[in-house]
Amino acid sequence: MTCALLYPQNLFYPLKSLRALDFVDKVFVFEFFDTSTYLQKFFPELQEKIGYISLRADEKLKLRDLPNILTNLQLFGEYIRTPENLSYYYLYQDLFEETFSIKIRERDSSEEIKRAFLILLLAENLDANLLEVEKALISFEEKWENFFQRNILFEDQFYENLAIKEWVSGPENLWNLKRRVDALKRIIPLFCWENVSFLDTLLITEAELIWEMKEEALILSETELSKGIYLLKTNKSLNKNLGLPEEENFPKFVQILAVF
Protein backbone atom coordinates (compact mmCIF):
# COMPACT_ATOMS: atom_id res chain seq x y z
CA MET A 1 0.00 0.00 0.00
CA THR A 2 1.59 3.27 -1.11
CA CYS A 3 -1.31 5.74 -1.52
CA ALA A 4 -4.68 6.43 0.07
CA LEU A 5 -7.60 8.83 -0.31
CA LEU A 6 -8.54 10.79 2.81
CA TYR A 7 -12.31 10.44 3.15
CA PRO A 8 -14.66 12.25 3.57
CA GLN A 9 -12.68 15.27 4.85
CA ASN A 10 -9.92 16.95 2.87
CA LEU A 11 -7.89 18.43 5.73
CA PHE A 12 -6.02 16.41 8.34
CA TYR A 13 -8.69 16.91 10.96
CA PRO A 14 -9.02 15.27 13.36
CA LEU A 15 -5.26 15.26 13.90
CA LYS A 16 -5.24 11.53 14.58
CA SER A 17 -5.39 11.12 10.79
CA LEU A 18 -1.71 12.09 10.73
CA ARG A 19 -0.84 8.81 12.45
CA ALA A 20 -1.62 6.98 9.22
CA LEU A 21 1.11 8.81 7.30
CA ASP A 22 3.70 6.32 8.53
CA PHE A 23 1.98 3.65 6.45
CA VAL A 24 1.49 5.47 3.13
CA ASP A 25 3.77 7.26 0.70
CA LYS A 26 1.11 9.74 -0.35
CA VAL A 27 -2.34 10.84 0.79
CA PHE A 28 -4.71 12.25 -1.81
CA VAL A 29 -7.39 14.79 -0.93
CA PHE A 30 -10.20 16.47 -2.83
CA GLU A 31 -9.10 19.94 -3.85
CA PHE A 32 -11.69 22.65 -3.28
CA PHE A 33 -11.03 26.36 -3.72
CA ASP A 34 -8.95 26.86 -0.54
CA THR A 35 -7.82 23.31 0.27
CA SER A 36 -4.19 23.67 -0.80
CA THR A 37 -3.93 27.03 1.01
CA TYR A 38 -5.17 25.48 4.25
CA LEU A 39 -2.85 22.48 3.98
CA GLN A 40 0.18 24.64 3.21
CA LYS A 41 -0.67 26.80 6.22
CA PHE A 42 -1.20 24.01 8.74
CA PHE A 43 1.09 21.28 7.39
CA PRO A 44 3.89 22.87 5.33
CA GLU A 45 6.19 19.97 6.18
CA LEU A 46 3.81 17.44 4.57
CA GLN A 47 3.48 18.94 1.10
CA GLU A 48 5.44 16.16 -0.59
CA LYS A 49 3.10 13.61 0.98
CA ILE A 50 -0.09 15.28 -0.28
CA GLY A 51 -1.69 14.77 -3.68
CA TYR A 52 -4.72 16.63 -4.97
CA ILE A 53 -7.75 15.42 -6.90
CA SER A 54 -9.18 18.44 -8.70
CA LEU A 55 -12.54 19.19 -10.21
CA ARG A 56 -12.82 18.85 -13.96
CA ALA A 57 -12.17 22.21 -15.61
CA ASP A 58 -15.70 22.52 -17.00
CA GLU A 59 -17.24 21.83 -13.58
CA LYS A 60 -14.94 24.27 -11.83
CA LEU A 61 -16.03 26.96 -14.27
CA LYS A 62 -19.70 26.30 -13.45
CA LEU A 63 -18.99 26.64 -9.72
CA ARG A 64 -16.77 29.71 -9.88
CA ASP A 65 -19.31 31.84 -7.96
CA LEU A 66 -19.39 29.52 -4.92
CA PRO A 67 -16.52 31.15 -2.96
CA ASN A 68 -18.40 34.45 -3.12
CA ILE A 69 -21.64 32.77 -2.00
CA LEU A 70 -19.76 31.12 0.87
CA THR A 71 -18.34 34.47 2.03
CA ASN A 72 -21.80 36.01 1.93
CA LEU A 73 -23.26 33.07 3.84
CA GLN A 74 -20.71 33.60 6.59
CA LEU A 75 -21.49 37.33 6.74
CA PHE A 76 -25.19 36.52 6.78
CA GLY A 77 -24.67 34.03 9.62
CA GLU A 78 -22.90 36.67 11.68
CA TYR A 79 -25.68 39.18 11.00
CA ILE A 80 -28.57 36.98 12.17
CA ARG A 81 -26.96 35.93 15.44
CA THR A 82 -29.10 38.41 17.38
CA PRO A 83 -32.80 37.61 18.01
CA GLU A 84 -33.83 40.97 16.56
CA ASN A 85 -32.06 40.45 13.24
CA LEU A 86 -33.27 36.87 13.08
CA SER A 87 -36.88 38.04 13.41
CA TYR A 88 -36.30 40.52 10.57
CA TYR A 89 -34.98 37.69 8.43
CA TYR A 90 -38.14 35.62 8.92
CA LEU A 91 -40.23 38.62 7.89
CA TYR A 92 -38.18 39.53 4.81
CA GLN A 93 -36.45 36.29 3.85
CA ASP A 94 -36.34 36.88 0.08
CA LEU A 95 -34.99 40.40 0.54
CA PHE A 96 -32.22 39.18 2.84
CA GLU A 97 -31.21 36.40 0.45
CA GLU A 98 -31.06 38.87 -2.42
CA THR A 99 -29.07 41.39 -0.38
CA PHE A 100 -26.49 38.84 0.74
CA SER A 101 -26.47 37.08 -2.67
CA ILE A 102 -26.95 33.66 -1.10
CA LYS A 103 -29.92 32.46 -3.10
CA ILE A 104 -29.20 29.70 -5.58
CA ARG A 105 -31.72 30.26 -8.34
CA GLU A 106 -31.51 27.15 -10.52
CA ARG A 107 -34.21 24.53 -10.03
CA ASP A 108 -32.42 21.57 -11.58
CA SER A 109 -29.49 19.24 -10.94
CA SER A 110 -27.03 22.14 -10.96
CA GLU A 111 -28.76 23.51 -7.85
CA GLU A 112 -28.21 20.20 -6.04
CA ILE A 113 -24.54 20.22 -7.02
CA LYS A 114 -24.05 23.77 -5.76
CA ARG A 115 -25.81 23.03 -2.49
CA ALA A 116 -23.72 19.90 -1.99
CA PHE A 117 -20.55 21.84 -2.69
CA LEU A 118 -21.53 24.60 -0.27
CA ILE A 119 -22.03 22.03 2.49
CA LEU A 120 -18.53 20.69 1.86
CA LEU A 121 -17.00 24.17 1.68
CA LEU A 122 -18.60 25.06 5.01
CA ALA A 123 -17.35 21.77 6.47
CA GLU A 124 -13.83 22.47 5.23
CA ASN A 125 -13.96 25.97 6.71
CA LEU A 126 -15.13 24.53 10.04
CA ASP A 127 -12.32 21.94 10.04
CA ALA A 128 -9.80 24.70 9.31
CA ASN A 129 -11.07 26.74 12.27
CA LEU A 130 -10.92 23.70 14.56
CA LEU A 131 -7.39 22.96 13.36
CA GLU A 132 -6.42 26.55 14.15
CA VAL A 133 -7.75 26.19 17.70
CA GLU A 134 -6.20 22.77 18.26
CA LYS A 135 -2.77 23.80 17.02
CA ALA A 136 -2.90 26.96 19.15
CA LEU A 137 -3.72 24.90 22.24
CA ILE A 138 -0.90 22.46 21.53
CA SER A 139 1.54 25.35 21.03
CA PHE A 140 0.44 27.01 24.28
CA GLU A 141 0.90 23.80 26.26
CA GLU A 142 4.37 23.30 24.79
CA LYS A 143 5.39 26.87 25.66
CA TRP A 144 4.04 26.42 29.20
CA GLU A 145 6.08 23.26 29.72
CA ASN A 146 9.21 24.75 28.13
CA PHE A 147 8.96 27.80 30.36
CA PHE A 148 9.13 25.70 33.51
CA GLN A 149 11.89 23.49 32.14
CA ARG A 150 14.04 26.52 31.31
CA ASN A 151 13.34 28.71 34.33
CA ILE A 152 12.72 26.39 37.27
CA LEU A 153 15.91 24.78 38.57
CA PHE A 154 14.26 22.59 41.15
CA GLU A 155 11.04 20.67 41.20
CA ASP A 156 8.19 23.13 41.61
CA GLN A 157 5.34 21.92 43.76
CA PHE A 158 3.07 24.49 42.11
CA TYR A 159 3.74 23.29 38.57
CA GLU A 160 0.76 21.65 36.98
CA ASN A 161 0.32 20.25 33.51
CA LEU A 162 -2.43 22.42 32.06
CA ALA A 163 -3.91 19.73 29.80
CA ILE A 164 -5.93 22.51 28.19
CA LYS A 165 -6.85 20.44 25.18
CA GLU A 166 -8.61 17.86 27.33
CA TRP A 167 -11.17 20.31 28.68
CA VAL A 168 -11.39 22.82 25.81
CA SER A 169 -11.54 20.58 22.74
CA GLY A 170 -14.56 18.56 21.77
CA PRO A 171 -14.50 14.91 20.70
CA GLU A 172 -12.12 14.08 17.86
CA ASN A 173 -14.61 13.41 15.12
CA LEU A 174 -16.09 15.19 12.13
CA TRP A 175 -19.13 17.37 12.54
CA ASN A 176 -22.21 16.54 10.44
CA LEU A 177 -20.69 13.35 9.06
CA LYS A 178 -23.81 12.13 7.27
CA ARG A 179 -24.37 15.45 5.50
CA ARG A 180 -20.75 15.48 4.36
CA VAL A 181 -20.94 11.95 2.99
CA ASP A 182 -24.25 12.61 1.21
CA ALA A 183 -22.92 15.85 -0.30
CA LEU A 184 -19.72 14.19 -1.46
CA LYS A 185 -21.68 11.38 -3.12
CA ARG A 186 -23.42 14.00 -5.21
CA ILE A 187 -20.26 15.62 -6.56
CA ILE A 188 -17.61 12.89 -6.44
CA PRO A 189 -17.97 11.88 -10.13
CA LEU A 190 -17.17 15.48 -11.14
CA PHE A 191 -13.50 15.21 -10.16
CA CYS A 192 -10.59 14.22 -12.42
CA TRP A 193 -9.97 10.56 -11.67
CA GLU A 194 -7.96 9.59 -14.74
CA ASN A 195 -4.55 10.17 -13.14
CA VAL A 196 -5.42 8.47 -9.84
CA SER A 197 -7.24 5.38 -11.09
CA PHE A 198 -4.59 3.31 -9.25
CA LEU A 199 -6.05 4.28 -5.86
CA ASP A 200 -7.62 1.41 -3.93
CA THR A 201 -7.43 2.52 -0.28
CA LEU A 202 -9.58 4.89 1.78
CA LEU A 203 -8.09 6.60 4.83
CA ILE A 204 -10.98 6.97 7.29
CA THR A 205 -10.98 8.33 10.84
CA GLU A 206 -14.71 8.07 11.56
CA ALA A 207 -15.67 4.88 13.38
CA GLU A 208 -19.33 5.24 12.39
CA LEU A 209 -18.42 5.29 8.71
CA ILE A 210 -16.02 2.37 9.05
CA TRP A 211 -18.67 0.20 10.72
CA GLU A 212 -21.19 1.06 7.99
CA MET A 213 -18.78 -0.04 5.28
CA LYS A 214 -17.89 -3.20 7.19
CA GLU A 215 -21.58 -4.12 7.32
CA GLU A 216 -21.99 -3.80 3.56
CA ALA A 217 -18.80 -5.57 2.48
CA LEU A 218 -17.29 -8.80 3.70
CA ILE A 219 -13.94 -8.14 5.38
CA LEU A 220 -11.41 -10.61 4.01
CA SER A 221 -8.65 -9.59 6.41
CA GLU A 222 -8.05 -7.12 9.22
CA THR A 223 -4.44 -6.28 10.05
CA GLU A 224 -3.39 -4.12 12.98
CA LEU A 225 -0.55 -1.93 11.72
CA SER A 226 -0.15 -0.03 14.97
CA LYS A 227 -2.23 0.75 18.04
CA GLY A 228 -5.58 2.01 16.76
CA ILE A 229 -4.62 1.70 13.08
CA TYR A 230 -5.99 -1.17 10.98
CA LEU A 231 -5.88 -2.18 7.34
CA LEU A 232 -9.16 -3.76 6.25
CA LYS A 233 -9.41 -5.62 2.95
CA THR A 234 -12.89 -6.16 1.51
CA ASN A 235 -14.31 -8.72 -0.88
CA LYS A 236 -15.89 -6.11 -3.16
CA SER A 237 -15.54 -2.54 -4.31
CA LEU A 238 -16.66 0.23 -1.95
CA ASN A 239 -17.35 2.59 -4.86
CA LYS A 240 -21.12 2.38 -4.41
CA ASN A 241 -20.76 3.71 -0.86
CA LEU A 242 -18.86 6.69 -2.25
CA GLY A 243 -21.14 7.42 -5.20
CA LEU A 244 -18.30 6.55 -7.56
CA PRO A 245 -19.02 4.69 -10.83
CA GLU A 246 -17.74 1.15 -11.33
CA GLU A 247 -15.95 1.99 -14.56
CA GLU A 248 -12.48 1.39 -15.91
CA ASN A 249 -11.22 4.98 -15.65
CA PHE A 250 -12.26 5.26 -11.99
CA PRO A 251 -10.43 3.79 -8.99
CA LYS A 252 -11.73 0.65 -7.35
CA PHE A 253 -11.59 1.04 -3.59
CA VAL A 254 -11.22 -2.31 -1.83
CA GLN A 255 -9.23 -1.36 1.28
CA ILE A 256 -9.77 0.85 4.33
CA LEU A 257 -6.94 2.30 6.37
CA ALA A 258 -8.87 2.84 9.59
CA VAL A 259 -7.62 5.18 12.31
CA PHE A 260 -9.43 4.98 15.65
Side-chain angles (χ1 to χ4, degrees):
M1 179 181 55
T2 57
C3 299
L5 170 66
L6 183 61
Y7 180 85
Q9 68 270 48
N10 47 359
L11 303 181
F12 291 106
Y13 183 84
L15 287 175
K16 64 181 178 181
S17 58
L18 296 174
R19 293 165 49 209
L21 296 184
D22 291 336
F23 304 97
V24 293
D25 294 326
K26 206 173 194 70
V27 173
F28 284 85
V29 299
F30 295 110
E31 184 178 22
F32 299 161
F33 298 98
D34 295 320
T35 305
S36 60
T37 301
Y38 285 138
L39 288 173
Q40 287 169 16
K41 174 184 177 181
F42 293 118
F43 308 103
E45 73 284 1
L46 298 179
Q47 293 309 300
E48 292 185 359
K49 274 228 170 193
I50 300 172
Y52 295 96
I53 303 175
S54 304
L55 276 170
R56 298 200 307 262
D58 57 329
E59 296 297 338
K60 195 167 187 177
L61 186 63
K62 294 176 187 176
L63 300 170
R64 63 186 182 277
D65 60 331
L66 284 188
N68 185 51
I69 294 176
L70 177 64
T71 299
N72 287 330
L73 271 174
Q74 291 168 329
L75 291 173
F76 175 67
E78 292 177 6
Y79 181 81
I80 63 170
R81 283 187 298 180
T82 66
E84 183 180 11
N85 288 343
L86 184 60
S87 64
Y88 287 146
Y89 168 68
Y90 283 124
L91 288 173
Y92 308 106
Q93 185 170 341
D94 288 340
L95 177 61
F96 270 82
E97 291 178 351
E98 291 289 344
T99 302
F100 283 92
S101 302
I102 59 175
K103 195 167 187 176
I104 298 175
R105 301 177 182 281
E106 295 87 346
R107 296 296 176 186
D108 52 25
S109 60
S110 63
E111 177 188 23
E112 295 179 16
I113 291 172
K114 285 188 175 182
R115 290 187 186 281
F117 225 103
L118 278 173
I119 289 171
L120 294 169
L121 290 176
L122 287 167
E124 180 184 70
N125 185 263
L126 173 61
D127 290 348
N129 289 334
L130 291 172
L131 270 173
E132 188 92 55
V133 172
E134 189 148 358
K135 280 185 164 286
L137 292 174
I138 292 171
S139 175
F140 184 82
E141 284 188 340
E142 289 175 349
K143 289 177 180 177
W144 170 264
E145 292 174 5
N146 289 338
F147 171 79
F148 274 88
Q149 290 173 2
R150 287 198 313 269
N151 296 286
I152 307 300
L153 297 178
F154 305 101
E155 183 176 351
D156 187 344
Q157 61 179 328
F158 298 106
Y159 172 77
E160 182 179 350
N161 189 338
L162 292 181
I164 294 177
K165 187 175 176 296
E166 294 180 9
W167 50 268
V168 174
S169 298
E172 280 204 339
N173 51 28
L174 295 175
W175 290 60
N176 286 319
L177 177 62
K178 187 178 186 308
R179 293 192 71 182
R180 292 183 193 228
V181 171
D182 290 344
L184 197 49
K185 279 182 181 179
R186 187 68 187 82
I187 69 168
I188 202 169
L190 307 180
F191 287 84
C192 298
W193 291 100
E194 291 80 4
N195 296 328
V196 290
S197 58
F198 55 84
L199 285 172
D200 65 357
T201 304
L202 297 170
L203 168 52
I204 302 179
T205 60
E206 304 309 295
E208 177 185 342
L209 193 55
I210 294 168
W211 299 132
E212 285 180 7
M213 291 187 175
K214 286 178 71 172
E215 287 179 358
E216 294 190 22
L218 177 66
I219 303 300
L220 298 177
S221 66
E222 183 171 326
T223 306
E224 185 174 14
L225 304 177
S226 182
K227 185 177 180 181
I229 301 179
Y230 297 84
L231 180 63
L232 313 177
K233 295 186 178 182
T234 66
N235 69 327
K236 66 176 184 178
S237 167
L238 298 167
N239 285 27
K240 183 179 179 181
N241 299 71
L242 311 181
L244 200 60
E246 298 275 4
E247 297 176 9
E248 186 176 345
N249 57 335
F250 288 93
K252 184 178 181 180
F253 290 99
V254 293
Q255 295 189 136
I256 300 172
L257 183 57
V259 182
F260 294 101

